Amino acid sequence: MKKSKKFIEVILFALVFLVYLFSASKTITFWDSAEFVTSNYHLQVTHPPGASFYTLLCNFIMLFFPASWVALISAMLSAFFGALTVVFLYRITQLIALRIVQKDSSKQVLILTHLCGLLAASTLAFSNTFWTVATETEVYTLSSFLLLLTFYLMILWNDCNNVVQSRRLMFFLLFVLGISIGVHLINLSVIIPLSILYVNKKKNLGWKQIVVSLFLSVFLFLFIYNIGIQGFLKIASFVDVKLVNNYNLPVNSGLFILIVLFLFMVFYGLNRAKKKKNIRIYNIILGTLFFAIGTSTYIIPILRKDVVTPFSNSIETSNQLLNYLKAKQFGVDNTPLVKGTIFNAPLDKDLPFLNDEEILTYNQESQKYEVVDDGKYSKINYANEYDMFFPRMYSQKPLSAVGYSNWVAIKGEKISYPVQGKMTDLLKPTFSENLQFFKNYQVEWMYLRYLYWNFIGKQNENKGTGEIFNGNWISGFNFIDKSRIGDETVIPSRYKNDKSNDAYYFLPFMLGLIGLWSLRKNKAYLITTVVFFLTFGIGITIYLNPLPESVLVRERDYIFLGSFLIFSMWVGFSILTLNEWLTKIKSQQIRVTIISLFVLLASPLQLLAKNWNNHQRSNDTFAYELAEKYLDSCPKGAILITNGDNFTFPLWYLQEVESYRDDIRVINYDQLNIENYIDKLKCKSLNSEPLKVSFLRENYIEGTPKLFPLKKETEKPVDLSQLFQFLNNEKTKINWNGKQQHYIPGDLFSINVDTIKKVFSNFNIKELKANYNSKILFKYSKNFYQLKDIMLFNIIQENINEKPICFAINGATDHYVGFQNNLIHRGFVEQLIPIVRDSKVLNPKIVALNLCDEILMKGVSFEELKTKTNFIKSENIEYTQIILRKNYYFLAQALIEEGKNKEAKQVLDKCMTMFPNYTIPFKQYSFALGKLYYRIGEKQKGNEVCLLSMKNIWEELQWITSFNPEVNQIINVKKAVKIKDIYLQMINQLNHYNQEEAKKKMIEADSFVKRFSIWEIKNSPY
């Protein structure tokens, strides 16, 4: 059987690997793919909390391949470890199945155990989430492999009776565990479920032992993470400050001395324990050493601190490494778990601000640690009356507050409390409402929905924000689904025919529950797998305490892979129970054949068949092409300001790996809050010269305030050069909440520009019907300006006369910081130019026709968007709708204003051909394009595009109001109101071009609006 098992594993690996390889994208995709490809290639430091072992391993493998292969090789590595994970799940499931049927060792039963392993492995292989991560450059397949390898080693240790062999297995397990958290820190949680097997071997597994085991393992997890890892770095930082400041030793001396001291203590302890023949202490110390060696890859960020590229994070000190591991950059280091303040809590009436720890930073010039913030009045102190146990609604961000009220109807309890000296009635959410948010959003939407996606069915792969249209789980049974997403008869055909609309009719899910029942015969593995499943499911949800806006960015199903691994295993065990239930079929061979055919068809083969078309990404080059177009749209040596992962990482990949347009300095607006990122802008990067920055470093180093209040002192424009003289002067600070703080004296700004500079000479001003201005005026009003706003002001002020400054057109506006009225549209970017139109009658939107024509009409392909058979990712569809169509609209509009109707028609026709309704549904921007057809006399084409756009909107409006949703009523009502308003606006605009059709639709809409008002009142809890 051993040879057969090896043969099965080889065939399983080969088949799954080939499927993944065939499905994988051959180049970069959106989200972290481009970041990991680039950081792996150059051995750079990724976003917090890092994946140091993954980066090191990939970098080693990439040494053997040319740069043009690295994106493909990275995807292949994900596929490789994905297939390896599948093989290990087969092994583990088969081993546990043997323990379940240990009393029966007949050949037929042994075959059943192998079938269990195959069923579990193939179910995981073709499940939605795992198949996705196995076909893109990410850490999750390597993370899953190491997680299962740890579990596998624990099973071997549990079964091993040889003392020496057991020790070796445990040491290797601890080493693998250390490595695995060098891929993803969450893997440390595996010690919680594995503690059950440890106790099972050492003692009888009673309920008392189980409870004690879980309590101690949770304590051990928190001890290792908070004291063993973070505590070590805190001590290292403390020692480093003393050694550097008092003894003039190099920075990080404390860290390396502490490492040497740790090794000395380990070897001293080993020698001492050996002499005293204390085997237990010896094993604990040696196990700690193996674990520490495994985690040692986290020293890489400090070893690579001198890498100066746009991509790499710079970690210079042990304290920065600590903040990196805590992901302080993302604000998750202070997430409350047991007790915390509710989201709308006011400041404490007596002590609104408390003292905190002083903040130190390392000064490269003085080579000393210096106090940046003494900690006085640095910690916000909210009123204790608004504290709550198990706080789920805790974030004070305005966006979070809106999100909380979307997911639960907050009526609250009224509390009178003084706010700014005035008694105010405030509503504190009740504990019941707090738990309702936990249930509605954190458990059901952010975990169970993902579980159901994989084993019950998925509506589509569009980002689900709570409304009925996108990202819901479905079963395929209308009587079950219609209470959540409406009756299938009213769902538009484009939603029903979506390639990612896959219903599994509960079959894999039911098999998983049956498999869980199979484990009743082995208490140890029953408890272990249940705890494993809960730890990497609900446990992660509780620990992360996700904010309501996290789902607005992207789906997060991948973080629960550990839970999905176990459920796939349970699916495998279902064979054993089914075999018991079908004992009336006397022939064992016939029974096994029937069971095998049923379970394979019900789970892996169904998953393979239905998930196949929406996991084919080999033709997905959209992220690569879009990044190219952004860079191609920029003049030579430009500064390109962008924001968001998807509009930054692909551009940096092209520059750093493929050396494409590396003369451009791509600036991520969101990262201008980070000290080390700002410092890198002042250095030469690739073929981009250093940027001038006059804002003093002491004003933006870590520990200084990141917010600058608006204290309006003038209505006149504030000259930016004078503003930064003002901000660089320590004497201009004011007292703000007990601390000295810089402020902004006005919200109207100006920049003096030298228009004879070469940087402004690449436009024909006469053709643009505009004139140069010697000054750019812009208004940007905020109560608090963030550091990134101030830094961008400074970069533009200091470099505008030397370098072209462009803004990426990406659907967002935050990164424009108020410059929208001073831009020239050139393809996929807008360039900041000090010009205004000759006449106020002219459209203030200025378009460089020749440049846009070159980029949009001659330089764009996006071939994959034209073909019906291709699966198109939801991000690609969204960006086409809000970015690409928008660019063609502005070009066509500008041509019409120039009287070039023929050329405008060519632009419109190309847009319609490249982005047809059957792949990229017509929405608002398509409607706008349709209106341009009317303007050039193409009434038939205008009717076709406008009416089809309206039809798509109308179908969604009819769908969402066709029933009373039982879940997420608030979100759906708000969405329906928004769609209704859009549709009514479309009718009003259509009236200018097709009065007859507009009149018909208005009559229909009037009748609908009356029904809508009743529906809205009935479904809105507020």
Side-chain angles (χ1 to χ4, degrees), residues 163-273:
V163 176
V164 175
Q165 187 66 22
S166 292
R167 288 175 59 210
R168 289 174 179 172
L169 284 169
M170 182 55 69
F171 293 149
F172 186 47
L173 184 154
L174 291 169
F175 175 68
V176 171
L177 178 60
I179 287 176
S180 72
I181 66 173
V183 177
H184 205 295
L185 275 171
I186 203 68
N187 281 7
L188 182 61
S189 308
V190 77
I191 63 177
I192 298 172
L194 295 191
S195 67
I196 302 295
L197 290 181
Y198 183 87
V199 172
N200 179 59
K201 184 173 182 177
K202 296 294 183 180
K203 297 181 179 181
N204 293 325
L205 197 63
W207 287 111
K208 180 181 177 181
Q209 286 76 24
I210 291 171
V211 171
V212 171
S213 168
L214 291 176
F215 176 81
L216 290 178
S217 61
V218 170
F219 174 79
L220 183 61
F221 165 78
L222 294 173
F223 179 84
I224 294 173
Y225 182 65
N226 293 314
I227 298 177
I229 298 174
Q230 293 187 15
F232 183 87
L233 290 174
K234 285 179 182 178
I235 296 171
S237 179
F238 175 80
V239 173
D240 198 48
V241 171
K242 299 299 181 184
L243 293 177
V244 170
N245 285 4
N246 297 339
Y247 301 99
N248 297 321
L249 291 181
V251 67
N252 292 320
S253 296
L255 176 61
F256 291 106
I257 287 175
L258 205 62
I259 291 172
V260 171
L261 181 62
F262 169 76
L263 292 174
F264 172 79
M265 291 174 63
V266 164
F267 289 114
Y268 174 81
L270 288 173
N271 186 53
R272 182 94 174 167

Side-chain angles (χ1 to χ4, degrees), residues 50-85:
S52 49
F53 178 77
Y54 170 77
T55 304
L56 184 64
L57 176 65
C58 292
N59 177 261
F60 174 75
I61 294 170
M62 287 177 182
L63 293 174
F64 303 98
F65 298 95
S68 58
W69 284 39
V70 295
L72 176 60
I73 296 301
S74 296
M76 288 178 66
L77 285 171
S78 289
F80 175 83
F81 286 111
L84 209 55
T85 302

Side-chain angles (χ1 to χ4, degrees), residues 759-893:
V759 70
F760 303 119
S761 64
N762 56 344
F763 293 104
N764 187 322
I765 298 301
K766 290 184 178 180
E767 286 185 5
L768 297 175
K769 298 177 183 177
N771 289 310
Y772 279 121
N773 258 350
S774 60
K775 186 173 289 189
I776 292 177
L777 291 175
F778 66 101
K779 188 178 181 70
Y780 191 56
S781 186
K782 303 175 79 171
N783 291 330
F784 289 89
Y785 294 84
Q786 296 185 64
L787 174 60
K788 60 184 180 181
D789 301 321
I790 304 304
M791 283 309 312
L792 192 50
F793 283 175
N794 190 250
I795 290 167
I796 292 172
Q797 158 68 28
E798 293 297 326
N799 297 276
I800 191 169
N801 291 313
E802 308 297 331
K803 291 175 175 288
I805 295 176
C806 299
F807 297 87
I809 301 169
N810 59 21
T813 58
D814 291 355
H815 62 298
Y816 282 90
V817 292
F819 285 103
Q820 287 92 325
N821 296 326
N822 301 276
L823 304 170
I824 293 181
H825 194 107
R826 46 179 302 155
F828 285 75
V829 304
E830 293 176 299
Q831 185 175 347
L832 181 61
I833 297 289
I835 64 172
V836 290
R837 288 287 204 185
D838 292 337
S839 169
K840 292 183 178 180
V841 177
L842 296 171
N843 188 342
K845 179 71 179 181
I846 304 176
V847 178
L849 294 178
N850 293 336
L851 288 169
C852 285
D853 181 75
E854 186 70 27
I855 294 164
L856 296 174
M857 297 301 288
K858 299 173 185 176
V860 172
S861 58
F862 296 109
E863 290 293 329
E864 70 273 17
L865 301 181
K866 303 177 188 177
T867 309
K868 275 185 177 182
T869 55
N870 283 345
F871 171 67
I872 303 172
K873 292 286 289 182
S874 59
E875 294 91 355
N876 302 0
I877 293 174
E878 179 186 352
Y879 297 153
T880 302
Q881 289 174 329
I882 66 173
I883 299 172
L884 301 188
R885 281 180 177 154
K886 179 180 181 180
N887 290 334
Y888 281 91
Y889 170 83
F890 284 126
L891 175 56
Q893 177 184 248

Side-chain angles (χ1 to χ4, degrees), residues 286 308 469 642 932:
L286 194 56
V308 180
F469 303 132
T642 184
L932 295 183

